[in-house]
Amino acid sequence: MMQKQPTRRRFTVFIIFLFALAAPAFAADRPNIIIILADDMGYSDIGCYGGEIDTPNLDKLAAEGVRFTQFYNTCRCCPTRAALLTGLYSHEAGVGHMVDDQHLPGYRGVLNDQCRTIAESLRDSGYTTLMCGKWHVGSQRGHWPTDRGFDRYFGTPTGGGVYFKDTLNIRDTVFFVDGDQKIELPDDFYVTDSLTDHAMRFIDDAAKGDKPFFLYLAHIAPHWPLQAKPADIAKYEGKYDMGWDAVRAARYKRQVEMGIVKRDWELSKRDDQSKAWDSLSEEHRKDLSHRMSVYAAQVDCLDQNVGKLMAKLEALRLMDSTLVMFLSDNGCSAEGGPGGFSRGFKGVPIGEGTSYASVGLEWANASNTPFRKYKTRTEEGGISTPLIVHWPAKIAAGQRGSLNDSPGHVIDLMPTCLAAAGAKYAPEADLGKYTPLEGRSLMPALSGGSVERDEICWEHEGNRAIRMGDWKAVSPKGAAWQLYNLAVDRTETRNLSSEDPKRTAELAKAWEAWAIRVHAEPSPWDKKGKGKGPADSAGPSE
């Protein structure tokens, strides 16, 4: 008997080896992929980008991954979602503005048939495709996530603006679905927790199968209205009594120390519509401090939920084999102008479910430190986002915690996912049906390299911009082109257009060619159009 035991052991090892060969290979070379999208979160709101808000879970991902310091969105929710999902400029995908149909090729308000989503491409390649959260690239039936490649979906096909169940008494056009069926929300509903809880259930189910999964978790937080759980608000009460000037200065100092911001980039001046904190009455300062406390609580809760999701991956032993990317859809929102708006139920304190308020222009200016302007604008404050990439199996120990200053854009996430998964955009026979991808894979940056590209362009509501190398030209709606050398002045404090008119004209000409190519023109905001875009200080929009 003793002589036969080694033979049995060898046989057992052989059987295990055969099972290993037959097991899914995705854990090693076909990662699970998670994209977490924040809504209206500013560039400096999280700790690893200079913020004072408590975000230990995102900070941990950054410490173990790569932070991109010059990554861009499209400055507004719907266009960013369209670009992220398709790897195309949003106008090419049909969502150059919002979900209203402007009856122009680039502005139809739904994803068109000439684009593919990440979910469609990855599902064709053998992935289980999951989504939780805000869709907002086609609100009507027939254009929901399950119509565009997602196997499972929980969230709102419409815009956000709802945190608690009773908020639906104000936002009665918003609804939630499970799959494609409308549902009633539970009484204890809080949107950030609910979206994460559903995402974890989806992951649990996917982990039981033999396929890798793709999860797109599109949070509503910290988009207005200011609504948070009491314990989270209490944590920040009084923390912002020092005002936005002090917050901006402290964030800028930390960003310079971290290397997020170069020392020769000056802190942009306080927005022209924002007054000095000390010039305001005590009552006004108390209201504004509280608003920022609620906003910080929403960001804090978002981070808590990132922690819950990562704990789920750890429990399922999926962390090493999962590529996680975290970013925001645009800069912080200045909607409501100075002081923000308030239009909830009378007498309800800001933060509760039937309050309905915004943080205001001044705090948005602080959230986007060190940059100027905010959501809807193509200055750096409107288009800059944190991007954290975490993938233990592929990011070498020497690169963990590193910063990468390659300019990137949300159009890069689709090709990055395809490269990581070894997936094709579309079958060879069908490639001619679809607009070729615009983005570049970020994979070289994960090993310390750079991402090569020609230009990045923007258009939103007549606000225009183009970046080519270190040079950027920007034109606010109806205004002349400005020119900035971002290598030495990424905060856009020194307009060089009069010193270098030739370069300014060349960039403007390149932008025009791009706009025609991607259907940003003709536009509802051209000289003959009227458009529906809000002004900087307008009331609520998505």
PDB file of all heavy atoms in Angstrom, residues 250-263 403:
ATOM      1  N   ALA A 250      -5.447  75.457   0.225  1.00  0.00           N
ATOM      2  CA  ALA A 250      -4.944  74.233   0.859  1.00  0.00           C
ATOM      3  C   ALA A 250      -4.879  73.091  -0.151  1.00  0.00           C
ATOM      4  O   ALA A 250      -3.916  72.306  -0.155  1.00  0.00           O
ATOM      5  CB  ALA A 250      -5.838  73.855   2.038  1.00  0.00           C
ATOM      6  N   ARG A 251      -5.896  72.986  -1.001  1.00  0.00           N
ATOM      7  CA  ARG A 251      -5.882  71.920  -2.016  1.00  0.00           C
ATOM      8  C   ARG A 251      -4.724  72.125  -2.991  1.00  0.00           C
ATOM      9  O   ARG A 251      -4.032  71.178  -3.351  1.00  0.00           O
ATOM     10  CB  ARG A 251      -7.216  71.885  -2.768  1.00  0.00           C
ATOM     11  CG  ARG A 251      -8.374  71.375  -1.951  1.00  0.00           C
ATOM     12  CD  ARG A 251      -9.616  71.158  -2.810  1.00  0.00           C
ATOM     13  NE  ARG A 251     -10.731  70.634  -2.025  1.00  0.00           N
ATOM     14  CZ  ARG A 251     -11.843  70.147  -2.541  1.00  0.00           C
ATOM     15  NH1 ARG A 251     -12.013  70.124  -3.867  1.00  0.00           N
ATOM     16  NH2 ARG A 251     -12.806  69.681  -1.774  1.00  0.00           N
ATOM     17  N   TYR A 252      -4.534  73.347  -3.423  1.00  0.00           N
ATOM     18  CA  TYR A 252      -3.447  73.646  -4.362  1.00  0.00           C
ATOM     19  C   TYR A 252      -2.098  73.275  -3.754  1.00  0.00           C
ATOM     20  O   TYR A 252      -1.247  72.657  -4.411  1.00  0.00           O
ATOM     21  CB  TYR A 252      -3.490  75.127  -4.728  1.00  0.00           C
ATOM     22  CG  TYR A 252      -2.341  75.593  -5.589  1.00  0.00           C
ATOM     23  CD1 TYR A 252      -2.256  75.230  -6.935  1.00  0.00           C
ATOM     24  CD2 TYR A 252      -1.346  76.403  -5.061  1.00  0.00           C
ATOM     25  CE1 TYR A 252      -1.202  75.669  -7.723  1.00  0.00           C
ATOM     26  CE2 TYR A 252      -0.286  76.848  -5.848  1.00  0.00           C
ATOM     27  CZ  TYR A 252      -0.223  76.479  -7.179  1.00  0.00           C
ATOM     28  OH  TYR A 252       0.818  76.910  -7.958  1.00  0.00           O
ATOM     29  N   LYS A 253      -1.895  73.615  -2.481  1.00  0.00           N
ATOM     30  CA  LYS A 253      -0.633  73.306  -1.799  1.00  0.00           C
ATOM     31  C   LYS A 253      -0.390  71.799  -1.780  1.00  0.00           C
ATOM     32  O   LYS A 253       0.717  71.323  -2.072  1.00  0.00           O
ATOM     33  CB  LYS A 253      -0.664  73.868  -0.376  1.00  0.00           C
ATOM     34  CG  LYS A 253       0.624  73.662   0.422  1.00  0.00           C
ATOM     35  CD  LYS A 253       0.528  74.378   1.770  1.00  0.00           C
ATOM     36  CE  LYS A 253       1.827  74.258   2.561  1.00  0.00           C
ATOM     37  NZ  LYS A 253       2.085  72.881   3.006  1.00  0.00           N
ATOM     38  N   ARG A 254      -1.435  71.036  -1.439  1.00  0.00           N
ATOM     39  CA  ARG A 254      -1.281  69.577  -1.414  1.00  0.00           C
ATOM     40  C   ARG A 254      -1.025  69.021  -2.809  1.00  0.00           C
ATOM     41  O   ARG A 254      -0.214  68.095  -2.985  1.00  0.00           O
ATOM     42  CB  ARG A 254      -2.529  68.935  -0.805  1.00  0.00           C
ATOM     43  CG  ARG A 254      -2.627  69.068   0.702  1.00  0.00           C
ATOM     44  CD  ARG A 254      -3.726  68.191   1.271  1.00  0.00           C
ATOM     45  NE  ARG A 254      -5.044  68.647   0.866  1.00  0.00           N
ATOM     46  CZ  ARG A 254      -5.792  69.512   1.550  1.00  0.00           C
ATOM     47  NH1 ARG A 254      -5.330  70.026   2.687  1.00  0.00           N
ATOM     48  NH2 ARG A 254      -6.985  69.859   1.122  1.00  0.00           N
ATOM     49  N   GLN A 255      -1.679  69.561  -3.816  1.00  0.00           N
ATOM     50  CA  GLN A 255      -1.483  69.076  -5.187  1.00  0.00           C
ATOM     51  C   GLN A 255      -0.050  69.287  -5.651  1.00  0.00           C
ATOM     52  O   GLN A 255       0.534  68.416  -6.304  1.00  0.00           O
ATOM     53  CB  GLN A 255      -2.456  69.789  -6.128  1.00  0.00           C
ATOM     54  CG  GLN A 255      -3.899  69.348  -5.970  1.00  0.00           C
ATOM     55  CD  GLN A 255      -4.849  70.180  -6.816  1.00  0.00           C
ATOM     56  OE1 GLN A 255      -4.663  71.391  -6.979  1.00  0.00           O
ATOM     57  NE2 GLN A 255      -5.866  69.543  -7.364  1.00  0.00           N
ATOM     58  N   VAL A 256       0.513  70.426  -5.305  1.00  0.00           N
ATOM     59  CA  VAL A 256       1.910  70.698  -5.665  1.00  0.00           C
ATOM     60  C   VAL A 256       2.830  69.721  -4.946  1.00  0.00           C
ATOM     61  O   VAL A 256       3.760  69.155  -5.543  1.00  0.00           O
ATOM     62  CB  VAL A 256       2.273  72.158  -5.340  1.00  0.00           C
ATOM     63  CG1 VAL A 256       3.782  72.379  -5.496  1.00  0.00           C
ATOM     64  CG2 VAL A 256       1.507  73.126  -6.238  1.00  0.00           C
ATOM     65  N   GLU A 257       2.575  69.488  -3.663  1.00  0.00           N
ATOM     66  CA  GLU A 257       3.407  68.571  -2.883  1.00  0.00           C
ATOM     67  C   GLU A 257       3.322  67.141  -3.416  1.00  0.00           C
ATOM     68  O   GLU A 257       4.305  66.402  -3.403  1.00  0.00           O
ATOM     69  CB  GLU A 257       2.985  68.615  -1.414  1.00  0.00           C
ATOM     70  CG  GLU A 257       3.320  69.943  -0.725  1.00  0.00           C
ATOM     71  CD  GLU A 257       2.675  70.071   0.643  1.00  0.00           C
ATOM     72  OE1 GLU A 257       1.806  69.218   0.978  1.00  0.00           O
ATOM     73  OE2 GLU A 257       3.009  71.026   1.368  1.00  0.00           O
ATOM     74  N   MET A 258       2.147  66.752  -3.911  1.00  0.00           N
ATOM     75  CA  MET A 258       1.951  65.404  -4.448  1.00  0.00           C
ATOM     76  C   MET A 258       2.557  65.225  -5.832  1.00  0.00           C
ATOM     77  O   MET A 258       2.796  64.110  -6.275  1.00  0.00           O
ATOM     78  CB  MET A 258       0.451  65.105  -4.559  1.00  0.00           C
ATOM     79  CG  MET A 258      -0.266  64.913  -3.265  1.00  0.00           C
ATOM     80  SD  MET A 258      -2.040  64.678  -3.605  1.00  0.00           S
ATOM     81  CE  MET A 258      -2.632  64.208  -1.987  1.00  0.00           C
ATOM     82  N   GLY A 259       2.767  66.339  -6.544  1.00  0.00           N
ATOM     83  CA  GLY A 259       3.223  66.265  -7.925  1.00  0.00           C
ATOM     84  C   GLY A 259       2.079  66.220  -8.919  1.00  0.00           C
ATOM     85  O   GLY A 259       2.300  66.089 -10.126  1.00  0.00           O
ATOM     86  N   ILE A 260       0.845  66.350  -8.428  1.00  0.00           N
ATOM     87  CA  ILE A 260      -0.326  66.405  -9.308  1.00  0.00           C
ATOM     88  C   ILE A 260      -0.275  67.681 -10.145  1.00  0.00           C
ATOM     89  O   ILE A 260      -0.650  67.705 -11.322  1.00  0.00           O
ATOM     90  CB  ILE A 260      -1.634  66.390  -8.475  1.00  0.00           C
ATOM     91  CG1 ILE A 260      -1.752  65.093  -7.666  1.00  0.00           C
ATOM     92  CG2 ILE A 260      -2.860  66.615  -9.347  1.00  0.00           C
ATOM     93  CD1 ILE A 260      -2.171  63.887  -8.437  1.00  0.00           C
ATOM     94  N   VAL A 261       0.178  68.760  -9.528  1.00  0.00           N
ATOM     95  CA  VAL A 261       0.270  70.074 -10.157  1.00  0.00           C
ATOM     96  C   VAL A 261       1.720  70.536 -10.110  1.00  0.00           C
ATOM     97  O   VAL A 261       2.384  70.405  -9.078  1.00  0.00           O
ATOM     98  CB  VAL A 261      -0.643  71.084  -9.419  1.00  0.00           C
ATOM     99  CG1 VAL A 261      -0.379  72.507  -9.869  1.00  0.00           C
ATOM    100  CG2 VAL A 261      -2.114  70.720  -9.627  1.00  0.00           C
ATOM    101  N   LYS A 262       2.213  71.051 -11.214  1.00  0.00           N
ATOM    102  CA  LYS A 262       3.582  71.559 -11.258  1.00  0.00           C
ATOM    103  C   LYS A 262       3.679  72.890 -10.524  1.00  0.00           C
ATOM    104  O   LYS A 262       2.750  73.696 -10.538  1.00  0.00           O
ATOM    105  CB  LYS A 262       4.030  71.739 -12.712  1.00  0.00           C
ATOM    106  CG  LYS A 262       4.155  70.433 -13.479  1.00  0.00           C
ATOM    107  CD  LYS A 262       4.639  70.679 -14.900  1.00  0.00           C
ATOM    108  CE  LYS A 262       4.755  69.381 -15.677  1.00  0.00           C
ATOM    109  NZ  LYS A 262       5.190  69.610 -17.072  1.00  0.00           N
ATOM    110  N   ARG A 263       4.817  73.119  -9.904  1.00  0.00           N
ATOM    111  CA  ARG A 263       4.990  74.325  -9.088  1.00  0.00           C
ATOM    112  C   ARG A 263       4.853  75.613  -9.888  1.00  0.00           C
ATOM    113  O   ARG A 263       4.462  76.648  -9.356  1.00  0.00           O
ATOM    114  CB  ARG A 263       6.358  74.296  -8.387  1.00  0.00           C
ATOM    115  CG  ARG A 263       6.447  73.224  -7.328  1.00  0.00           C
ATOM    116  CD  ARG A 263       7.732  73.286  -6.534  1.00  0.00           C
ATOM    117  NE  ARG A 263       7.771  72.226  -5.548  1.00  0.00           N
ATOM    118  CZ  ARG A 263       7.215  72.296  -4.344  1.00  0.00           C
ATOM    119  NH1 ARG A 263       6.591  73.413  -3.993  1.00  0.00           N
ATOM    120  NH2 ARG A 263       7.286  71.289  -3.498  1.00  0.00           N
ATOM    121  N   LEU A 403       2.329  58.519 -10.902  1.00  0.00           N
ATOM    122  CA  LEU A 403       1.555  59.484 -11.667  1.00  0.00           C
ATOM    123  C   LEU A 403       1.939  59.362 -13.128  1.00  0.00           C
ATOM    124  O   LEU A 403       3.113  59.180 -13.453  1.00  0.00           O
ATOM    125  CB  LEU A 403       1.837  60.911 -11.191  1.00  0.00           C
ATOM    126  CG  LEU A 403       1.602  61.209  -9.712  1.00  0.00           C
ATOM    127  CD1 LEU A 403       2.053  62.641  -9.393  1.00  0.00           C
ATOM    128  CD2 LEU A 403       0.142  61.034  -9.339  1.00  0.00           C
TER     129      LEU A 403
END
